[in-house]
Amino acid sequence: MTYVYPLDGKHDLALAELTALIGGKAANLVLMTTELGLPVPPGFAITTEACRAYLAEGWPEGLDDELNSAMHRLESAAGRRFGDARNPLLVSVRSGAPVSMPGMMDTILNLGLNDETTRGLAALSRDVRFAADCQHRLEQMFTKTVGVAAVPADPWLQLRAAVEAVFRSWNSDRARAYRARERIADDLGTAVTVQAMVFGNWGDDSATGVLFTRNPATGEPVLYGDVLFASQGEDVVAGTHQTQPVTVLDSRLPQVGAELRRFADSLERYFADLCDIEFTIEQGKLWLLQVRVGKRSPRAALRIAVDMAEDPGFPLSRAEAVRRVAKYLAEPPVISTRRSNDVVAIATGLPASPGVAAGEIATSPDAAVKAFEAGRQVILVRSETSPDDVQGMARAAGVLTSRGGLASHAAVVARGWGIPAVVGAEAVIVGDRSIDVGGRVLQAGETITIDGGTGEVFAGSVADATEVAPETATLLAWAKELGIQISEPSLPFRGEGQESSQVKPDEVIRALAIKGSATTEALADGLLSSRELVDPVVRQLVDGGLIESSAGLLRLTVDGKAKGQQLIAADARHWGADQVQAALEDFHALDVRMKEAVTAWQLREVGGAQVLNDHSDADYDAKVLAQIAHLHDDAAAWLSSMKGPAQLGRYLERLIRSVKLVGEGDHRFVASPRVDSYHSVWFELHEELILLAGTTRDEEAAAGRA
């Protein structure tokens, strides 16, 4: 059996078979080297078969001989020798699974350095600091990844230990958790890619960078990315160094900049899609280290699809373009035009969800719903939000709260709905039908404008324009012409064997006491049931005067609310006041982590500022999803250990369901209020614990816990 394949060799395998054998990273390196003739550092790949053999029975027989032969070929290609003190060859050792698992497994750079070869590198480069920097990086990465106190002096021992560490990283906790969420098979194994090092930290004409062939946030057809001079690749992705836009190469290294544009165009046309490229520049020479199809925002996806399909020389048909973005056409993204008139803010809070919205003041969710039904734009203004506010938020043009931060539930839900929000505007005091802003009283029904990008609040209507992304009309016209059906967004998951055989009236009442109001579909989701089973119970309760229906929303009547309070009070007495209070305190510790994780999913820091996460950074998103997975493990253990009311077990089932759907790629189930998402379930769990403890959401907010 062959365990090692060169990156510059011709392979008879189809791309899918090659990817399964040597991983996606190496397969694309082979493609760039052999089919496109692009500059890729020489190297080889150790197969996934070798990984599986190692994990089952230890180091595979015959792998040492193949590894030695491959390294000798690499020495010839690079013109250097591994372990040679005068002209040392250094290599990188990287993981490469058949399915992309960004950031989940291990990498080691500068492998092959010891005291002698470091002196040789210093003499060769005439730069002692450069050589010392490379050795320091090796020591940091090797000891952390391999799990040893020191790097062995023998480069061959370094190489074997690094390969074994990459093999073992397939079964690391983070890799297992990622595979579980993404439904990736555990028996695939990872390949190992070994390449001659190219040095982005070798002087001022050396650099490392990442780029997208088009702007992944807007779709604009320009190179978009970062470059960092005198650095190695990990410095860019770690986010610990100040990068420069990749366009700086046009002035600083114009020949490299021109080459990079040509190569980017070649790769984009080969893949017929937006590409994400990693590169290194060593003393003015450009090397490509990786390419993959890039992530992009919904707005960018539409523009990219139209631009590519309308380019007669680009290999993407209109039909392929429509199918690629069909999921975004049912609910197309909206773009906003900033105001131009000079106005003064009456209050300022935290910019929680971007966009500008104007509407009449509504200080209750009911008022927001009624205004919406009457065809009027509304800004829902609250001290802090509760589950009862969600339906009002769903119909509001924007949300303003006087308390809370960027991780508050109001902020999270608003971002989930995609509506502008300003939170923590302390100057705003919310009354029953008015708000007081620094002594200026504005009545419900008067118009205000909020800017969720700056945190500003204005009296009156401040000019601003929004429109559906213009490419939507083009793509819908193509779909109609080609007979391609654009479906509505998929319905929330229900059941899969967990659907209740019977829904009890008290369960419906208790659920509405927590939710405040809900559609029948949302109520069925929360009860792990179906509309067919919930409908007859709802009709029974409507006939009994406990539920009323308005504009498609179900809510408790006065008698229904009294019944709900009785049910919750009985649950609290049965559980015991001390146990309820202890559960609420335990929840608070988990809630802090929940808010941090969901906020990190919706927002990320760029240039020191919080911006809306466009999910173009796959590594960043993977880390946040891992954070949520760890939280879920702890939350599930906590909920499983509780001896409280039976309905608390339903929250665990709903949380598990949300995690399952996120793992299947439906990221709405992280925080979207349109579905029974992880955050939505968590929000309701908090509300039930608050009610069981006999406190209020306002009291929780005042204590900094809402």
Side-chain angles (χ1 to χ4, degrees):
M1 178 179 291
T2 300
Y3 286 129
V4 177
Y5 286 79
L7 298 181
D8 61 352
K10 290 287 186 180
H11 301 282
D12 296 330
L13 299 174
L15 180 59
E17 294 175 297
L18 186 63
T19 299
L21 183 65
I22 63 173
K25 181 179 298 179
N28 284 343
L29 290 173
V30 169
L31 179 156
M32 286 194 286
T33 302
T34 62
E35 295 193 36
L36 299 177
L38 299 179
V40 172
F44 56 87
I46 305 172
T47 66
T48 55
E49 291 174 338
C51 176
R52 292 193 295 271
Y54 172 82
L55 294 175
E57 300 177 356
W59 191 259
E61 184 179 353
L63 180 54
D64 278 325
D65 291 339
E66 288 193 58
L67 198 54
N68 288 339
S69 296
M71 285 297 292
H72 291 321
R73 290 195 300 270
L74 183 52
E75 288 174 333
S76 297
R80 297 174 183 169
R81 290 184 58 204
F82 194 54
D84 187 341
R86 292 174 300 175
N87 188 23
L89 168 67
L90 306 185
V91 297
S92 64
V93 177
R94 290 183 168 92
S95 61
V99 180
S100 179
M101 295 175 57
M104 292 300 106
M105 290 176 293
D106 291 326
T107 291
I108 300 177
L109 305 180
N110 306 317
L111 199 131
L113 284 175
N114 54 28
D115 290 344
E116 292 183 357
T117 54
T118 299
R119 286 192 292 271
L121 182 63
L124 183 68
S125 64
R126 299 179 181 177
D127 190 336
V128 173
R129 286 190 301 176
F130 159 66
D133 178 52
C134 291
Q135 186 175 30
H136 176 66
R137 290 171 185 271
L138 170 64
E139 290 170 350
Q140 282 190 317
M141 299 180 80
F142 190 96
T143 54
K144 178 182 177 181
T145 300
V146 180
V148 294
V151 181
D154 186 342
W156 289 95
L157 291 180
Q158 293 178 20
L159 179 60
R160 173 156 173 169
V163 171
E164 289 186 275
V166 173
F167 284 160
R168 289 195 303 270
S169 71
W170 174 256
N171 282 332
S172 67
D173 289 342
R174 68 180 187 271
R176 283 182 174 276
Y178 186 88
R179 290 201 298 276
R181 288 194 311 277
E182 299 297 324
R183 299 178 69 84
I184 298 171
D186 281 328
D187 60 355
L188 296 179
T190 180
V192 180
T193 303
V194 179
Q195 287 180 279
M197 279 296 303
V198 287
F199 300 98
N201 57 333
W202 194 341
D204 291 338
D205 59 351
S206 300
T208 187
V210 295
L211 69 86
F212 290 85
T213 52
R214 303 184 187 219
N215 187 313
T218 67
E220 185 180 2
V222 295
L223 290 189
Y224 178 93
D226 300 303
V227 64
L228 192 60
F229 287 90
S231 296
Q232 288 194 334
E234 295 302 303
D235 298 331
V236 176
V237 298
T240 55
H241 295 67
Q242 185 61 45
T243 60
Q244 294 179 268
V246 71
T247 51
V248 74
L249 292 173
D250 293 334
S251 57
R252 186 159 172 173
L253 295 172
Q255 182 177 345
V256 172
E259 274 188 323
L260 192 57
R261 291 179 187 281
R262 289 199 306 274
F263 298 161
D265 182 68
S266 295
L267 288 167
E268 190 178 74
R269 290 178 180 277
Y270 184 91
F271 286 96
D273 207 343
L274 169 74
C275 288
D276 175 0
I277 302 168
E278 295 180 16
F279 64 91
T280 285
I281 304 164
E282 181 186 87
Q283 295 192 308
K285 178 170 175 56
L286 176 63
W287 296 93
L288 302 184
L289 305 183
Q290 183 168 318
V291 64
R292 57 192 170 195
V293 172
K295 304 287 187 181
R296 78 292 310 268
S297 71
R299 167 73 181 93
L302 298 185
R303 176 168 181 180
I304 290 169
V306 169
D307 285 352
M308 288 181 173
E310 287 189 333
D311 181 347
F314 198 88
L316 185 72
S317 69
R318 291 185 173 185
E320 291 168 329
V322 170
R323 292 190 179 96
R324 180 176 291 177
V325 298
K327 63 182 178 181
Y328 301 124
L329 295 177
E331 287 188 55
V334 175
I335 58 177
S336 175
T337 304
R338 293 281 301 163
R339 60 184 179 278
S340 58
N341 55 321
D342 186 19
V343 292
V344 178
I346 60 172
T348 302
L350 298 173
S353 183
V356 177
E360 63 180 60
I361 296 168
T363 57
S364 73
D366 284 348
V369 171
K370 289 176 182 176
F372 174 83
E373 291 171 353
R376 304 193 302 274
Q377 291 248 111
V378 64
I379 304 296
L380 179 63
V381 187
R382 302 287 277 167
S383 296
E384 175 50 290
T385 54
S386 73
D388 192 25
D389 293 306
V390 172
Q391 298 301 333
M393 294 174 73
R395 287 149 174 83
V399 176
L400 170 64
T401 69
S402 58
R403 288 197 293 264
L406 296 179
S408 67
H409 290 302
V412 171
V413 173
R415 290 192 294 264
W417 284 117
I419 59 176
V422 174
V423 300
E426 296 178 354
V428 178
I429 300 173
V430 184
D432 287 340
R433 289 193 50 78
S434 65
I435 63 172
D436 184 318
V437 187
R440 179 176 181 175
V441 177
L442 298 173
Q443 301 296 325
E446 291 189 59
T447 298
I448 58 172
T449 299
I450 63 170
D451 187 332
T454 65
E456 295 169 298
V457 182
F458 306 92
S461 179
V462 177
D464 183 72
T466 60
E467 63 178 7
V468 172
E471 295 81 11
T472 304
T474 300
L475 288 158
L476 288 174
W478 291 353
K480 183 177 181 180
E481 175 187 337
L482 297 165
I484 299 173
Q485 182 68 36
I486 302 299
S487 60
E488 293 297 319
S490 59
L491 292 174
F493 168 90
R494 289 197 187 93
E496 284 197 13
Q498 298 180 16
E499 184 178 293
S500 301
S501 59
Q502 183 179 2
V503 177
K504 299 175 182 178
D506 283 358
E507 292 176 330
V508 173
I509 292 172
R510 189 184 284 105
L512 283 175
I514 303 302
K515 288 178 175 289
S517 61
T519 63
T520 307
E521 290 82 1
L523 187 59
D525 269 339
L527 293 171
L528 295 171
S529 186
S530 66
R531 178 165 186 160
E532 291 72 22
L533 293 174
V534 170
D535 261 340
V537 181
V538 168
R539 287 195 298 270
Q540 174 189 338
L541 293 170
V542 169
D543 292 342
L546 298 176
I547 288 181
E548 61 187 2
S549 177
S550 175
L553 291 178
L554 304 172
R555 63 178 70 247
L556 297 176
T557 63
V558 173
D559 290 343
K561 289 177 181 178
K563 176 66 173 175
Q565 291 169 357
Q566 292 171 8
L567 292 171
I568 291 170
D571 289 336
R573 287 193 302 272
H574 185 267
W575 195 3
D578 291 344
Q579 286 77 10
V580 172
Q581 192 59 44
L584 185 56
E585 291 300 322
D586 289 343
F587 176 85
H588 289 151
L590 293 167
D591 192 44
V592 171
R593 293 169 57 192
M594 174 64 178
K595 290 175 180 176
E596 289 175 350
V598 172
T599 301
W601 178 253
Q602 296 178 322
L603 300 172
R604 64 188 179 100
E605 189 171 301
V606 176
Q610 291 275 15
V611 300
L612 199 64
N613 184 12
D614 62 7
H615 303 292
S616 61
D617 186 336
D619 290 345
Y620 175 85
D621 280 359
K623 291 175 183 176
V624 177
L625 291 175
Q627 185 180 350
I628 293 172
H630 291 313
L631 165 69
H632 175 69
D633 289 343
D634 293 341
W638 170 67
L639 277 167
S640 298
S641 68
M642 282 203 306
K643 306 298 183 184
Q647 70 269 13
L648 294 182
R650 189 177 289 125
Y651 287 106
L652 178 55
E653 291 186 58
R654 292 166 67 192
L655 291 172
I656 291 171
R657 180 176 67 179
S658 297
V659 166
K660 174 180 182 291
L661 288 163
V662 171
E664 292 173 353
D666 193 340
H667 291 160
R668 296 177 304 163
F669 282 84
V670 173
S672 173
R674 300 176 189 274
V675 296
D676 204 42
S677 66
Y678 204 93
H679 174 264
S680 298
V681 178
W682 192 270
F683 198 8
E684 290 180 22
L685 171 59
H686 191 186
E687 186 72 9
E688 180 146 359
L689 292 172
I690 288 170
L691 295 176
L692 286 166
T695 183
T696 66
R697 177 72 64 167
D698 281 346
E699 290 171 342
E700 287 283 289
R705 297 191 297 257

